[in-house]
Amino acid sequence: MRNSYIVKIITGVFIAAVGLAACKTKGGVAPHNSMELVADSSITHLTQPVNAQVVATIPVISPETGSRIYSAAANGVITYDTRQQTAVASRVGGRIERLLIKYNYQPVKKGQLIMEIYSPDLAAAQRELIYVAQSSKELLAGARQRLQLLGMQPGQIDQVLKTGNILYRIPVYSNSDGYILEKSAAVATASAAPPVATSAGDGMSGMGSAAAPVTSAPAAPAATPVLLREGQYVTAGQPLFTIYQADALVAVFSFPPQLAATIRKGQRLLFYPTEDNTAMQTGIIGLIEPVFRNGENFTLARIYLNKHHFRAGQLLTASIPVMYSNGSWLPKKAVWRLGNKAVVFKKEKEVYVPQVVQTGVEEKDMIQVITDIADWKVASNAAYLVDSESFIKTKQ
């Protein structure tokens, strides 16, 4: 390194000069046994390696202190309100002869045909109905009620009595308007940890803005194919589908632990669609849920939407003001990153010495330093004090 080479030259000149001075006496040349080396303490700082301290004339700055307010942004998504849902189950055991649901989150209407099931028990009950209708009118009401409990509609029962033919395919209808989701897919969606990151927003009150740590957020519902197939057997009472009501949606936002402490239930949030930051609106947090998924710790905040113009799967961005009252603030260029450590160059007499500091949040061009450096003088630009190989030896 060039700096080390310069230091070696200066050190050699210094030793030679000291040797010549020690050889001089009153009469000219001193005796051989009276030679003595005398070090000049004014240049001892030049003999230290450049990765431990640096001699430079770069300007110094003092850390800024005081409270700062910034607007942190949290990403979110519009999803279905799990409180407003109905289940679709088979009342009889049998084989699926016809399936009209092809993918999850397919829109359905109340009374819409979902599937047709062949059930041996239902066919036997229809034969019993026909026999009772021909032989014993007193038992007809009980036979009709049994078929209704097994899922047949009154009109279908009347058709069997009128024609005398057994209906081998029993239809299953939707009991609500909304979006249908397979039960197995609903469980998988609830346990997944989708990757959506949080980011920083603009500052408030002229005090700057800080970047929020990266975390996960809920993912948009995916229209995946259903796993249920025609020819598959189902049992009586087996839940097959869940229907989420179309008018019940919820906005779910993800907050890292640093921001989770600043939110509470009943607090108002300002949010807007990610693709249009002019369509802002406010909402009240109705539920705060701490979550630990796939080794990641974060907090979900839900805003229940009554009257809205959003659609399921739409991405949102929420803005929340956060105040930081501890620590000091430095320009980002004054802090040098060494992997998982941060270093500043502290001015000590004629040299700059690298010191490890603990950092916090970051904003556009400022960074929070948790370590107490209020009375320090640090280099304004750390990049100028790093040698070509970026080796830095910090003090313990």
Side-chain angles (χ1 to χ4, degrees):
M1 295 182 294
R2 199 177 90 176
N3 291 343
S4 298
Y5 179 74
I6 294 174
V7 169
K8 290 178 180 179
I9 293 176
I10 295 175
T11 305
V13 173
F14 162 72
I15 295 175
V18 172
L20 290 175
C23 292
K24 293 183 180 180
T25 60
K26 297 179 182 179
V29 181
H32 178 70
N33 57 2
S34 64
M35 294 180 63
E36 183 179 350
L37 293 177
V38 179
D40 187 357
S41 60
S42 63
I43 62 172
T44 54
H45 60 278
L46 298 176
T47 63
Q48 299 296 323
V50 293
N51 62 349
Q53 65 180 30
V54 183
V55 179
T57 58
I58 189 172
V60 296
I61 58 175
S62 298
E64 300 178 11
T65 57
S67 300
R68 286 182 175 240
I69 299 178
Y70 75 90
S71 179
N75 288 343
V77 67
I78 296 293
T79 186
Y80 301 100
D81 190 353
T82 55
R83 303 175 305 171
Q84 306 294 331
Q85 64 181 19
T86 58
V88 177
S90 174
R91 294 188 179 183
V92 294
R95 184 178 67 249
I96 299 177
E97 294 291 320
R98 185 184 178 195
L99 181 64
L100 301 178
I101 301 301
K102 303 302 181 183
Y103 56 91
N104 289 304
Y105 297 104
Q106 180 177 334
V108 294
K109 298 291 184 180
K110 185 175 182 179
Q112 178 180 337
L113 179 63
I114 294 179
M115 66 177 67
E116 293 179 348
I117 298 178
Y118 164 73
S119 174
D121 294 338
L122 201 58
Q126 293 179 67
R127 293 190 183 95
E128 181 182 340
L129 175 69
I130 296 174
Y131 175 79
V132 169
Q134 297 174 353
S135 60
S136 177
K137 300 296 184 181
E138 294 81 4
L139 302 177
L140 182 60
R144 290 179 62 97
Q145 184 179 10
R146 181 187 176 188
L147 285 174
Q148 290 182 4
L149 294 176
L150 290 176
M152 288 193 67
Q153 302 295 324
Q156 296 173 332
I157 298 175
D158 294 338
Q159 181 182 354
V160 172
L161 292 174
K162 182 179 180 180
T163 61
N165 296 325
I166 297 175
L167 299 178
Y168 290 97
R169 290 186 176 184
I170 300 302
V172 178
Y173 298 98
S174 170
N175 53 16
S176 176
D177 296 338
Y179 296 88
I180 195 166
L181 176 65
E182 196 172 13
K183 273 290 184 179
S184 58
V187 174
T189 302
S191 61
V196 178
T198 59
S199 59
D202 295 333
M204 299 179 60
S205 306
M207 297 298 290
S209 64
V214 177
T215 187
S216 295
T224 56
V226 296
L227 301 179
L228 208 60
R229 293 291 184 265
E230 293 180 355
Q232 184 174 339
Y233 283 84
V234 295
T235 59
Q238 177 183 347
L240 302 176
F241 294 100
T242 297
I243 298 178
Y244 294 108
Q245 295 183 6
D247 57 346
L249 296 179
V250 59
V252 182
F253 297 95
S254 176
F255 294 91
Q258 293 84 345
L259 293 181
T262 64
I263 61 175
R264 64 185 185 279
K265 183 179 179 181
Q267 179 179 351
R268 285 188 174 272
L269 286 184
L270 180 67
F271 63 94
Y272 54 87
T274 303
E275 70 278 4
D276 183 13
N277 57 6
T278 61
M280 295 187 179
Q281 71 177 66
T282 59
I284 299 177
I285 298 178
L287 176 67
I288 296 178
E289 178 186 6
V291 179
F292 184 80
R293 294 175 184 167
N294 296 341
E296 186 178 6
N297 183 22
F298 56 96
T299 298
L300 296 180
R302 297 184 181 182
I303 298 178
Y304 298 104
L305 306 174
N306 296 323
K307 298 180 180 180
H308 59 84
H309 55 277
F310 297 105
R311 64 183 184 277
Q314 190 172 5
L315 299 179
L316 303 176
T317 301
S319 178
I320 177 172
V322 179
M323 175 180 289
Y324 280 89
S325 57
N326 60 333
S328 304
W329 296 85
L330 286 174
K332 284 185 179 180
K333 61 183 180 180
V335 180
W336 186 261
R337 295 289 185 181
L338 293 176
N340 58 354
K341 297 191 297 184
V343 171
V344 298
F345 286 87
K346 179 183 178 183
K347 184 67 177 293
E348 294 183 358
K349 297 181 180 180
E350 301 90 352
V351 297
Y352 289 93
V353 179
Q355 298 281 359
V356 177
V357 295
Q358 182 183 358
T359 59
V361 297
E362 299 181 12
E363 59 148 342
K364 294 179 180 178
D365 57 350
M366 300 293 288
I367 183 170
Q368 183 191 28
V369 180
I370 307 300
T371 307
D372 186 11
I373 61 170
D375 56 347
W376 289 13
K377 298 290 184 180
V378 300
S380 59
N381 195 328
Y384 290 155
L385 303 182
V386 181
D387 66 356
S388 59
E389 297 179 0
S390 299
F391 290 146
I392 298 177
K393 183 179 181 181
T394 59
K395 288 186 176 181
Q396 298 298 328

